[in-house]
mmCIF file of all heavy atoms in Angstrom:
data_model
loop_
_atom_site.group_PDB
_atom_site.id
_atom_site.type_symbol
_atom_site.label_atom_id
_atom_site.label_comp_id
_atom_site.label_asym_id
_atom_site.label_seq_id
_atom_site.Cartn_x
_atom_site.Cartn_y
_atom_site.Cartn_z
ATOM 1 N N LEU K 600 111.547 -58.795 24.501
ATOM 2 C CA LEU K 600 110.983 -57.494 24.283
ATOM 3 C C LEU K 600 110.093 -57.519 23.062
ATOM 4 O O LEU K 600 110.507 -57.890 21.961
ATOM 5 C CB LEU K 600 112.105 -56.467 24.074
ATOM 6 C CG LEU K 600 111.670 -55.003 23.909
ATOM 7 C CD1 LEU K 600 111.061 -54.450 25.196
ATOM 8 C CD2 LEU K 600 112.845 -54.162 23.478
ATOM 9 N N LEU K 601 108.833 -57.197 23.247
ATOM 10 C CA LEU K 601 107.873 -57.156 22.153
ATOM 11 C C LEU K 601 107.950 -55.812 21.423
ATOM 12 O O LEU K 601 108.212 -54.788 22.020
ATOM 13 C CB LEU K 601 106.450 -57.403 22.654
ATOM 14 C CG LEU K 601 106.220 -58.704 23.459
ATOM 15 C CD1 LEU K 601 104.753 -58.851 23.759
ATOM 16 C CD2 LEU K 601 106.724 -59.914 22.636
ATOM 17 N N ASP K 602 107.695 -55.837 20.147
ATOM 18 C CA ASP K 602 107.695 -54.605 19.337
ATOM 19 C C ASP K 602 106.653 -53.661 19.830
ATOM 20 O O ASP K 602 105.582 -54.038 20.369
ATOM 21 C CB ASP K 602 107.390 -54.893 17.880
ATOM 22 C CG ASP K 602 108.650 -55.459 17.132
ATOM 23 O OD1 ASP K 602 109.722 -55.548 17.742
ATOM 24 O OD2 ASP K 602 108.486 -55.811 15.948
ATOM 25 N N ASP K 603 106.933 -52.351 19.690
ATOM 26 C CA ASP K 603 105.894 -51.340 19.892
ATOM 27 C C ASP K 603 104.677 -51.653 19.030
ATOM 28 O O ASP K 603 104.868 -52.051 17.885
ATOM 29 C CB ASP K 603 106.417 -49.951 19.513
ATOM 30 C CG ASP K 603 107.019 -49.222 20.723
ATOM 31 O OD1 ASP K 603 106.515 -49.340 21.826
ATOM 32 O OD2 ASP K 603 108.057 -48.551 20.523
ATOM 33 N N GLY K 604 103.531 -51.525 19.567
ATOM 34 C CA GLY K 604 102.290 -51.843 18.811
ATOM 35 C C GLY K 604 101.680 -53.179 19.165
ATOM 36 O O GLY K 604 100.500 -53.422 18.866
ATOM 37 N N ILE K 605 102.485 -54.090 19.699
ATOM 38 C CA ILE K 605 101.949 -55.374 20.124
ATOM 39 C C ILE K 605 101.349 -55.198 21.541
ATOM 40 O O ILE K 605 101.950 -54.620 22.410
ATOM 41 C CB ILE K 605 103.047 -56.462 20.141
ATOM 42 C CG1 ILE K 605 103.549 -56.768 18.744
ATOM 43 C CG2 ILE K 605 102.535 -57.775 20.815
ATOM 44 C CD1 ILE K 605 104.656 -57.769 18.648
ATOM 45 N N ASN K 606 100.167 -55.712 21.718
ATOM 46 C CA ASN K 606 99.469 -55.646 23.010
ATOM 47 C C ASN K 606 100.012 -56.709 23.951
ATOM 48 O O ASN K 606 99.619 -57.841 23.968
ATOM 49 C CB ASN K 606 97.971 -55.835 22.787
ATOM 50 C CG ASN K 606 97.185 -55.537 24.083
ATOM 51 O OD1 ASN K 606 97.647 -55.749 25.184
ATOM 52 N ND2 ASN K 606 95.913 -55.161 23.901
ATOM 53 N N ARG K 607 101.021 -56.271 24.744
ATOM 54 C CA ARG K 607 101.713 -57.209 25.614
ATOM 55 C C ARG K 607 100.725 -57.871 26.587
ATOM 56 O O ARG K 607 100.828 -59.122 26.857
ATOM 57 C CB ARG K 607 102.823 -56.492 26.390
ATOM 58 C CG ARG K 607 103.820 -57.398 27.162
ATOM 59 C CD ARG K 607 103.372 -57.723 28.571
ATOM 60 N NE ARG K 607 102.886 -56.550 29.294
ATOM 61 C CZ ARG K 607 103.674 -55.765 30.008
ATOM 62 N NH1 ARG K 607 104.996 -55.911 30.043
ATOM 63 N NH2 ARG K 607 103.113 -54.754 30.708
ATOM 64 N N ASP K 608 99.865 -57.076 27.163
ATOM 65 C CA ASP K 608 98.978 -57.648 28.176
ATOM 66 C C ASP K 608 97.986 -58.663 27.591
ATOM 67 O O ASP K 608 97.674 -59.713 28.243
ATOM 68 C CB ASP K 608 98.190 -56.529 28.884
ATOM 69 C CG ASP K 608 99.094 -55.649 29.726
ATOM 70 O OD1 ASP K 608 100.258 -56.045 29.942
ATOM 71 O OD2 ASP K 608 98.620 -54.569 30.144
ATOM 72 N N ALA K 609 97.566 -58.447 26.362
ATOM 73 C CA ALA K 609 96.690 -59.439 25.707
ATOM 74 C C ALA K 609 97.458 -60.733 25.377
ATOM 75 O O ALA K 609 96.953 -61.839 25.527
ATOM 76 C CB ALA K 609 96.114 -58.845 24.424
ATOM 77 N N VAL K 610 98.686 -60.553 24.959
ATOM 78 C CA VAL K 610 99.574 -61.706 24.677
ATOM 79 C C VAL K 610 99.794 -62.522 25.960
ATOM 80 O O VAL K 610 99.721 -63.748 26.020
ATOM 81 C CB VAL K 610 100.942 -61.269 24.102
ATOM 82 C CG1 VAL K 610 101.939 -62.422 24.084
ATOM 83 C CG2 VAL K 610 100.704 -60.731 22.671
ATOM 84 N N MET K 611 100.041 -61.808 27.042
ATOM 85 C CA MET K 611 100.283 -62.449 28.346
ATOM 86 C C MET K 611 99.045 -63.221 28.789
ATOM 87 O O MET K 611 99.148 -64.377 29.275
ATOM 88 C CB MET K 611 100.674 -61.358 29.328
ATOM 89 C CG MET K 611 101.157 -61.842 30.711
ATOM 90 S SD MET K 611 102.010 -60.549 31.607
ATOM 91 C CE MET K 611 100.765 -59.262 31.710
ATOM 92 N N LYS K 612 97.900 -62.603 28.678
ATOM 93 C CA LYS K 612 96.637 -63.254 29.048
ATOM 94 C C LYS K 612 96.399 -64.516 28.228
ATOM 95 O O LYS K 612 96.047 -65.585 28.785
ATOM 96 C CB LYS K 612 95.467 -62.271 28.915
ATOM 97 C CG LYS K 612 94.131 -62.787 29.384
ATOM 98 C CD LYS K 612 93.090 -61.667 29.320
ATOM 99 C CE LYS K 612 91.736 -62.133 29.849
ATOM 100 N NZ LYS K 612 91.045 -63.085 28.977
ATOM 101 N N TYR K 613 96.615 -64.421 26.968
ATOM 102 C CA TYR K 613 96.409 -65.584 26.079
ATOM 103 C C TYR K 613 97.339 -66.725 26.447
ATOM 104 O O TYR K 613 96.926 -67.883 26.564
ATOM 105 C CB TYR K 613 96.642 -65.160 24.613
ATOM 106 C CG TYR K 613 96.420 -66.299 23.619
ATOM 107 C CD1 TYR K 613 95.202 -66.453 23.023
ATOM 108 C CD2 TYR K 613 97.452 -67.202 23.281
ATOM 109 C CE1 TYR K 613 94.977 -67.487 22.072
ATOM 110 C CE2 TYR K 613 97.260 -68.240 22.372
ATOM 111 C CZ TYR K 613 96.012 -68.353 21.759
ATOM 112 O OH TYR K 613 95.830 -69.384 20.881
ATOM 113 N N MET K 614 98.597 -66.439 26.728
ATOM 114 C CA MET K 614 99.554 -67.501 27.032
ATOM 115 C C MET K 614 99.235 -68.161 28.370
ATOM 116 O O MET K 614 99.255 -69.355 28.509
ATOM 117 C CB MET K 614 100.976 -66.963 27.016
ATOM 118 C CG MET K 614 101.424 -66.492 25.634
ATOM 119 S SD MET K 614 103.155 -65.926 25.560
ATOM 120 C CE MET K 614 104.029 -67.506 25.670
#
Side-chain angles (χ1 to χ4, degrees):
L600 183 67
L601 304 184
D602 282 356
D603 268 323
I605 293 178
N606 187 332
R607 191 274 313 273
D608 292 349
V610 168
M611 188 163 58
K612 183 173 184 291
Y613 182 93
M614 294 184 74

